Amino acid sequence: MATHRPDLTPDWTVSTAWPPIRDELQTETSASQDKTVQQCLPLLHAYDSSLRDFHHNDLPKLDRAKHARFLHRSLQTLPAVAVGYDASRPWMVYWALTALSILGEDVTPYRERVTQTFASMQNVEGGFGGGHGQISHCASSYAVVLSLAMVGGADGLGMIDRKALWHWLGQVKQADGGFRVCVDGEEDVRGGYCSMVMISLLNLPLSLPPEAPARRAGLESFIDGLPEYMSRCQTFEGGISGSPQTEAHGAYAFCALACLSILGPPQRMISSYLDVPLLVAWLSARQYTPEGGFAGRTNKLVDGCYSHWVGGCWPLLDAAISDTQAKQAAENLPGSSLYSRDGLTRYILACCQSEKGGLRDKPSTYPDSYHTCYVLAGLSSAQHYNYYNQGEKDNGLPEFGDAFRWASMPYRSSHETGDGSRLRPIHPIYVIPWSAVEDTREYFEQQGQF
């Protein structure tokens, strides 16, 4: 019996005109929005074909070679003016390695340099700082762990002092269930997400260390109170803020959704602790027309990095809403999307590519490794159907098997998106290649807990 397959041929010409309804009140915000649209429209319409190499559907090709060269240069010696980014060194490595991996580049030749660079950033009390002599921080530790996972090897992974890291994470776990990003630092959803990524990937004990201050409040494990903390960060708009009673932001939405998806099945965890319809409405409003890209907050401009921070929310939300993802994947019938994959793809290829290599926020800005990483991550997500495979046999860590039950398949065949534009899939929770997640998990399973 023939199976009906939906028409997945993209309509690249959709929404390349001004919105039909526009507020006549002119403000600084609306003026900035109009200026951004005016910058994007010529590129979306492909008026100046001399700037790009186009394929058959009138979209610019992804200039893989230029972007790869840009990223390799970012991992070399930087000029003196870059000293201000010293505390972001782990991030700069992570952004470049992730983007190169998404492009299909082999990053293992960087293994020795990456391992040596990060060795001096590890503190005896546990965790990694942003640079030599700097205090440990959840964000920099997250970037270090994921970078070492990508370059692989026992030398790199083995240099992580897991026991010290476990004790340090016990110091940033809070009595209200959340995590500070560093000792005596701010508490927000980033701390929760980064901590759970490290705990689950490195096979750390789930129980709190005996000296953890949160034990005095009756907490016994790292996950105690954490889903409730994430729930309190949902705002009246429906989005997720960094901490309760602050402004909703797309990156915090991703951190909260990914954290909950580590803690258990998305359909149970996300639906139990978040108002999903309200969150879907808020995230949907972040994709703009005619640009096609995402903004990170209400009344803000599109920015290429939210191709991941907002775009990466959709597979997690789809898993929370749908109980047929694995069946659709098995039948090669990915369901309709909760966002416009075509619109986002068009914005990325037409507006975010710099002629000199690298990807950017929008046409008026310059490329950098941060935007190159997250723009490519968003494009990869748009090109793949990432789904939670509920029927997958649990070969993962006992406490976090659900985080490793995800699978991926191409959303379209490569000829439908243009020659050379198909990217490598990345894990929707860990935001590194699937093989790096699996190899790292296997390595630390063999090491056992302590």
Side-chain angles (χ1 to χ4, degrees), residues 300-321:
K300 294 296 183 179
L301 304 175
V302 291
D303 183 330
C305 72
Y306 296 111
S307 303
H308 163 67
W309 293 121
V310 176
C313 291
W314 295 115
L316 307 176
L317 272 175
D318 194 22
I321 296 170

Side-chain angles (χ1 to χ4, degrees), residues 167 170-175 208-219:
H167 282 284
Q171 296 301 306
V172 296
K173 174 68 176 180
Q174 299 301 294
L208 287 168
E211 75 282 4
R215 280 194 174 274
R216 296 196 289 270
L219 277 63

Side-chain angles (χ1 to χ4, degrees), residues 193-413:
Y193 166 62
C194 292
S195 296
M196 296 318 298
V197 163
M198 292 185 283
I199 291 169
S200 61
L201 203 56
L202 300 180
N203 194 16
L204 301 184
L206 193 55
S207 60
L208 287 168
E211 75 282 4
R215 280 194 174 274
R216 296 196 289 270
L219 277 63
E220 297 181 353
S221 79
F222 283 107
I223 65 173
D224 285 349
L226 183 55
E228 291 81 3
Y229 179 83
M230 297 293 170
S231 179
R232 293 195 296 273
C233 291
Q234 187 164 24
T235 75
F236 71 95
E237 291 183 283
I240 310 296
S241 57
S243 55
Q245 306 302 316
T246 55
E247 184 184 11
H249 191 286
Y252 295 136
F254 174 81
C255 289
L257 289 168
C259 181
L260 290 171
S261 298
I262 292 174
L263 300 181
Q267 196 170 34
R268 173 168 60 84
M269 295 301 299
I270 294 174
S271 299
S272 296
Y273 292 99
L274 298 176
D275 185 331
V276 173
L278 200 60
L279 179 55
V280 168
W282 186 84
L283 286 169
S284 297
R286 304 284 71 77
Q287 189 165 27
Y288 287 3
T289 183
E291 303 98 299
F294 289 109
R297 291 179 285 164
T298 302
N299 287 331
K300 294 296 183 179
L301 304 175
V302 291
D303 183 330
C305 72
Y306 296 111
S307 303
H308 163 67
W309 293 121
V310 176
C313 291
W314 295 115
L316 307 176
L317 272 175
D318 194 22
I321 296 170
S322 173
D323 59 358
T324 61
Q325 282 191 315
K327 181 177 182 295
Q328 291 172 340
E331 296 175 354
N332 196 26
L333 286 170
S336 59
S337 296
L338 293 171
Y339 72 107
S340 173
R341 295 173 187 256
D342 298 342
L344 179 62
T345 299
R346 179 167 48 82
Y347 177 71
I348 290 172
L349 294 178
C351 299
C352 292
Q353 296 193 83
S354 169
E355 290 77 18
K356 295 183 179 180
L359 293 107
R360 59 198 178 194
D361 166 351
K362 56 179 66 69
S364 60
T365 61
Y366 294 99
D368 54 49
S369 56
Y370 167 82
H371 284 92
T372 302
C373 170
Y374 291 123
V375 171
L376 290 175
L379 181 58
S380 172
S381 182
Q383 292 177 348
H384 295 89
Y385 183 61
N386 297 319
Y387 62 97
Y388 175 73
N389 193 357
Q390 192 170 7
E392 180 74 14
K393 182 179 179 181
D394 185 4
N395 294 319
L397 307 177
E399 299 91 351
F400 300 110
D402 291 289
F404 304 104
R405 283 181 172 169
W406 289 79
S408 181
M409 61 177 288
Y411 191 74
R412 298 187 181 92
S413 61

